Amino acid sequence: RKRLITLWNTYSFFVTYARLDEFDPNSYNDVKQLDLTKIDRWILAKVNELVKDASLLYNKYQIFKFLDEIVKFIDHLSNWYIRRNRRRFWKSENDNDKNAAYATLYETLITLIKIMAPITPFLTDKIYQNLVCDVRENEPDSVHLSSFPKYRKSWVDEKLINEVDTIIAIVSMGRSARNIANIKNRQPLDELVIFSKGNIDLLIKNNKNQILDELNIKKVRIVNNQNEIVTYKIKPNFSFLGQKFGNDLKDIIKIINKLDSNDVVEKVRYKKSISISFNGQVNHIEPEGIIVEEQALGDYSIVSNNDFTIGVLTTLSDSLIKEGIVRDVVRHIQNIRKEFDFNVEDRIDLLVEGSDKINDALMNNKSYFLNEVLAVSFNDKSVHFDNSKKIKSNNEEVLISIRKN
């Protein structure tokens, strides 16, 4: 149900902005002929792979596996494609770039609802009626009368899928590292550190800006040795090893404590057994027999998997704290806009009354702040405001007053 709501919200997002900009899906014949960006080509390649998976899993009656793939795709569509493209939809000029974004999202939604139609018949037909029947002539009257999408070779791009999916994985791990340190994403941080088993230098270089933007971090650094940011402590799993070695457990523990921790960690991660010599014989310890404790070095918060070790520097400078305050105030103002039923494109006059610390933070980041909330005037005492609300930011009360410009 939650994912269906996410799909509906994605559809609503498209409809809201497409109507504002009078997007016409009949204005092009082939979406691939438009000025597509990398992320456009990625989402088209992803939905194309979903078509292939759907055909295979439907034929095998493996609906639950297909549902898992649908959930992953909707998450990528909403939380990556839409997130990364919001400004393309928001900008005022209707140029080729914006048209390509609309066309890409339109084609993706149409393909998605067609392959979901057998398992979500009513929702998909509701979306189809609006996106297809109301705007395109000579199309079937229902999604259930339309043809099942075909796998298109022109949309295939496995290399691009791997590249962007890797970036998404790194960003996801970066967010987890923030969560461990209990630092919200709206608080800027100074550094992201990445250790990778493979060579990702070019991949990071080509995608650095979007990684830093998504994680709200200033710079990224690749390290060649994970020991620069993390150490590992290995401990025996007494209950597991006790069943296997019985009275010899103490001697086994002594041997384990002398092993190279990095080598043991590597084997445990890849579910490989650890070989030890005991009483003239080679014994094998299963990965379940070892507990690995990860310990971050310095002021880093770290997360690891089989491919990466990701660290975020948790030290906060005064300027970073001020940026965090501004982002928090922006969040509150956006909520107030919704509460007072402002349209997404409405420009506003704005008055913020808070402490010197709050005001100093806003003034130091004024250009970013006003742009984010679409404010035309700021703290103009001659303006009369009808809508005001008290909020809490940085544990301080702030009075926000807004009106349509």
Side-chain angles (χ1 to χ4, degrees):
R1 186 170 180 267
K2 180 181 177 182
R3 295 306 177 189
L4 291 180
I5 292 173
T6 302
L7 172 61
W8 184 262
N9 289 340
T10 300
Y11 156 72
S12 298
F13 175 90
F14 170 80
V15 170
T16 298
Y17 288 97
R19 281 176 175 165
L20 281 174
D21 291 319
E22 299 180 346
F23 168 71
D24 181 8
N26 298 301
S27 63
Y28 61 92
N29 294 318
D30 181 2
V31 67
K32 291 291 285 186
Q33 299 303 314
L34 301 178
D35 296 330
L36 303 181
T37 62
K38 178 191 288 187
I39 198 170
D40 293 334
R41 291 184 281 110
W42 167 75
I43 199 65
L44 291 174
K46 289 285 284 187
V47 77
N48 196 45
E49 289 301 307
L50 193 63
V51 169
K52 184 170 69 173
D53 292 340
S55 299
L56 177 66
L57 295 173
Y58 274 141
N59 288 333
K60 290 183 176 181
Y61 298 100
Q62 295 178 336
I63 306 303
F64 287 106
K65 284 187 178 181
F66 177 55
L67 286 174
D68 288 340
E69 296 304 314
I70 286 288
V71 166
K72 291 176 188 175
F73 180 81
I74 291 175
D75 184 61
H76 281 155
L77 178 62
S78 173
N79 293 323
W80 192 260
Y81 184 77
I82 297 292
R83 178 193 296 276
R84 295 303 311 158
N85 277 299
R86 282 178 299 185
R87 295 185 187 280
R88 294 172 72 193
F89 295 105
W90 288 349
K91 63 183 180 180
S92 55
E93 60 271 21
N94 288 330
D95 55 13
N96 291 338
D97 178 61
K98 181 187 266 192
N99 192 58
Y102 277 128
T104 299
L105 185 52
Y106 179 82
E107 296 296 335
T108 300
L109 285 170
I110 297 302
T111 304
L112 179 60
I113 62 171
K114 285 183 177 180
I115 61 178
M116 288 181 63
I119 53 175
T120 51
F122 301 109
L123 176 68
T124 52
D125 203 43
K126 174 70 174 177
I127 295 174
Y128 179 88
Q129 293 297 319
N130 190 28
L131 293 188
V132 178
C133 293
D134 290 351
V135 296
R136 283 184 167 174
E137 297 180 357
N138 303 320
E139 291 288 341
D141 294 333
S142 168
V143 68
H144 305 294
L145 299 175
S146 62
S147 299
F148 194 83
K150 293 182 179 179
Y151 183 68
R152 306 183 219 196
K153 291 184 178 179
S154 63
W155 288 19
V156 174
D157 198 331
E158 292 181 5
K159 183 179 178 182
L160 180 58
I161 287 177
N162 180 65
E163 177 183 343
V164 178
D165 286 0
T166 299
I167 297 304
I168 292 174
I170 290 172
V171 168
S172 177
M173 292 177 70
R175 291 198 184 112
S176 296
R178 274 180 167 275
N179 290 339
I180 290 172
N182 198 27
I183 300 175
K184 294 180 179 179
N185 206 64
R186 59 178 172 270
Q187 172 59 60
L189 295 177
D190 186 60
E191 184 180 57
L192 172 72
V193 180
I194 303 173
F195 168 78
S196 172
K197 296 270 186 348
N199 188 341
I200 60 167
D201 291 30
L202 183 61
L203 183 146
I204 297 300
K205 180 181 178 182
N206 291 340
N207 298 276
K208 182 177 73 171
N209 289 339
Q210 60 179 315
I211 294 173
L212 297 180
D213 185 49
E214 280 292 314
L215 289 175
N216 193 15
I217 292 179
K218 300 299 181 183
K219 59 180 180 285
V220 60
R221 178 166 60 96
I222 298 174
V223 295
N224 297 321
N225 190 337
Q226 61 186 336
N227 292 334
E228 292 186 36
I229 55 172
V230 65
T231 61
Y232 296 99
K233 184 177 181 180
I234 58 171
K235 296 167 61 177
N237 184 338
F238 291 101
S239 61
F240 185 89
L241 295 177
Q243 295 178 26
K244 182 170 183 176
F245 293 103
N247 294 332
D248 295 324
L249 180 58
K250 286 186 178 179
D251 294 321
I252 297 297
I253 290 173
K254 289 179 181 178
I255 295 172
I256 289 174
N257 289 336
K258 293 179 181 179
L259 295 175
D260 182 292
S261 59
N262 287 332
D263 182 56
V264 173
V265 169
E266 190 80 3
K267 288 180 177 176
V268 170
R269 271 191 184 157
Y270 288 96
K271 308 297 182 185
K272 295 180 179 179
S273 61
I274 297 101
S275 299
I276 62 171
S277 180
F278 177 65
N279 285 343
Q281 293 183 333
V282 175
N283 289 265
H284 300 286
I285 299 175
E286 292 79 1
E288 293 80 7
I290 302 294
I291 298 171
V292 176
E293 289 186 353
E294 210 170 42
Q295 298 175 329
L297 295 178
D299 293 323
Y300 288 98
S301 173
I302 56 100
V303 171
S304 299
N305 64 14
N306 290 344
D307 299 312
F308 304 106
T309 297
I310 304 291
V312 296
L313 186 61
T314 58
T315 307
L316 295 177
S317 65
D318 184 59
S319 63
L320 289 175
I321 291 172
K322 286 179 179 178
E323 283 189 55
I325 291 172
V326 172
R327 287 175 178 263
D328 189 48
V329 174
V330 166
R331 176 179 66 89
H332 283 293
I333 292 174
Q334 304 294 32
N335 290 336
I336 293 171
R337 287 174 61 104
K338 292 178 184 176
E339 187 178 325
F340 292 141
D341 292 324
F342 284 22
N343 295 319
V344 292
E345 74 275 12
D346 285 339
R347 266 51 181 174
I348 63 170
D349 297 310
L350 175 65
L351 178 65
V352 179
E353 298 173 274
S355 67
D356 290 343
K357 187 174 183 179
I358 298 290
N359 292 331
D360 187 42
L362 296 178
M363 293 307 296
N364 282 353
N365 300 273
K366 185 176 179 181
S367 179
Y368 164 82
F369 174 58
L370 299 184
N371 185 58
E372 286 295 304
V373 299
L374 301 182
V376 176
S377 72
F378 177 49
N379 284 1
D380 183 349
K381 297 293 180 67
S382 66
V383 176
H384 175 71
F385 292 93
D386 297 319
N387 302 307
S388 297
K389 185 174 182 179
K390 283 185 178 180
I391 59 103
K392 263 204 166 184
S393 182
N394 198 42
N395 295 319
E396 299 178 26
E397 274 199 353
V398 181
L399 180 64
I400 307 289
S401 303
I402 66 173
R403 75 167 193 180
K404 292 182 184 179
N405 179 262

